[in-house]
């Protein structure tokens, strides 16, 4: 079976990117990362990619101040790399509708909560965990989902929960949630690469 | 330690009531059920209570068509039984503000989802699971929380998650969720009866 060509989009540390790189090298995922795109030039994930000789691209506000030009550049980068799956791994920018249309059910995102809780506009990054703690919930988790035009609203591929204790803080929650992100994101990529994920309406069937 | 006096409020089958009865008889919970109140005269939970010689009261629309009169009667029943904890176990009626005020942090409810997902006005009973399935989430669960004036908005005592599969239907989800309701509701009652639950702002500390 030919290897699935992936783009991984990041904005920061890129620990999810690292997990995907590792799982590909271990042979757990039959795929190759064609390109890593960052919208921040100082994202540590770029270094991780560079160390493994993976092509990197920076599509940032400094070089492309206009959102329209960033979209155009991103579309071009994905097209040139013949990407079959786009993985948003902590990419803190809304994907333009035209890209979503072109890559329908081919863009996945990892969100650090159990969607629909703590999701939608305004819920990103560490802010999610702060709101989790403030709310007093005893369970949170992570979600891998397809990206559609509704923020965090696309078909859900996989979710996993973790416990929240009274003494937890943003940092400890983030650590626990990241652990499960590193489990379910590679698993979702693996299943997609093996053709085992089918979208049925707004629901996902794992074959 | 003296036994905590409990009222259990039901509207139907009363399987959560049964679990509490069983756990008290096993000695798992140090409490006694002073009264079981139903707002439906044909609720099977009334039979369960009767079989164990637990006092029952029916506070229904037929006898008390006015909401105000039902509230008054309910308040009277709880008062006469010297109730220290009110457990809403599938009680499908909003508790009046005056009762919530009198029994502040002494009324708990079991909700068949991971609050804040699938909670609030319009989310009750089987409807919750129908919405869960329609939404395509891969995780749902149950929540035990204190009741305040905001529907499903009081401090969360306990939550537990279960997996949702593509082939699940309302019935199978309900069964899985009920299994964890029967686990976390008695545990919450036990911890309250042992003085191990502390409300801190909108959050709950388990001591």
């Amino acid at each position: 079976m030919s290897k699935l060509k992936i783009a991984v989009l990041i904005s920061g540390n890129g620990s999810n990117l690292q997990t995907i790189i590792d799982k590909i090298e271990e042979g757990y995922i039959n795929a190759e990362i064609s390109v890593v795109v960052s919208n921040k030039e100082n994202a540590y994930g770029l270094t991780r990619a560079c160390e493994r000789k993976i092509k990197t691209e920076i599509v940032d506000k400094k070089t492309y101040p206009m959102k329209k030009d960033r979209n155009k550049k991103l579309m071009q980068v994905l097209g040139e790399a013949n990407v079959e799956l786009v993985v948003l791994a902590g990419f803190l920018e809304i994907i333009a509708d035209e890209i979503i249309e072109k890559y329908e059910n081919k863009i996945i995102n990892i969100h650090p909560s159990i969607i629909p809780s703590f999701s939608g506009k305004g819920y990103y990054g560490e802010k999610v965990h702060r709101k989790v703690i403030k709310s007093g919930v005893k369970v949170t988790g992570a979600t891998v989902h397809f990206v559609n035009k509704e923020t965090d609203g696309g078909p859900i591929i996989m979710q996993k929960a973790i416990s929240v204790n009274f003494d937890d803080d943003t940092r400890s929650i983030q650590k626990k949630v990241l652990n499960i992100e590193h489990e379910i994101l590679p698993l979702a990529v693996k299943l997609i690469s093996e053709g085992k994920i089918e979208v049925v309406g707004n629901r996902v069937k794992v074959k």
Side-chain angles (χ1 to χ4, degrees), chain A residues 29-195:
Chain A
I29 301 172
N30 183 41
E32 61 179 306
I33 301 176
S34 304
V35 64
V36 167
V37 183
S38 173
N39 66 344
K40 301 279 177 195
E41 63 177 2
N42 60 353
Y44 178 61
L46 289 169
T47 306
R48 295 180 192 268
C50 183
E51 277 172 357
R52 302 302 175 105
K53 301 192 168 55
I54 296 166
K55 191 183 170 198
T56 59
E57 292 276 359
I58 296 162
V59 183
D60 65 352
K61 277 190 182 165
K62 208 165 72 183
T63 322
Y64 308 93
M66 306 276 282
K67 173 82 180 154
K68 169 172 79 66
D69 294 331
R70 290 202 296 285
N71 291 341
K72 200 176 152 188
K73 177 66 184 173
L74 185 54
M75 188 77 112
Q76 183 196 327
V77 167
L78 298 177
E80 282 173 358
N82 292 311
V83 160
E84 297 161 290
L85 177 69
V86 179
V87 179
L88 310 183
F91 186 68
L92 301 179
E93 193 165 332
I94 299 291
I95 300 293
D97 283 356
E98 60 197 277
I99 300 179
I100 291 174
E101 279 162 22
K102 186 170 171 197
Y103 292 90
E104 196 190 354
N105 292 339
K106 285 179 180 165
I107 307 176
I108 66 173
N109 181 45
I110 179 99
H111 183 83
S113 80
I114 300 286
I115 291 173
S117 289
F118 309 103
S119 67
K121 283 203 172 97
Y123 287 92
Y124 55 85
E126 231 184 69
K127 200 182 271 190
V128 172
H129 304 309
R130 278 205 298 277
K131 291 191 176 179
V132 159
I133 287 179
K134 209 176 160 199
S135 74
V137 293
K138 299 295 187 187
V139 159
T140 186
T143 301
V144 183
H145 64 94
F146 286 108
V147 173
N148 66 13
K149 291 177 186 175
E150 189 191 335
T151 309
D152 299 329
I156 293 170
I157 303 167
M158 217 161 270
Q159 295 186 299
K160 201 165 173 182
I162 58 128
S163 293
V164 180
N165 304 318
F166 187 81
D167 296 328
D168 271 317
D169 57 16
T170 310
R171 209 186 183 87
S172 65
I173 294 287
Q174 186 170 41
K175 201 174 160 183
K176 286 194 271 189
V177 171
L178 263 178
N179 277 339
I180 61 167
E181 291 182 29
H182 295 167
E183 183 186 324
I184 64 175
L185 184 59
L187 179 54
V189 174
K190 175 189 170 69
L191 291 171
I192 291 169
S193 75
E194 294 169 354

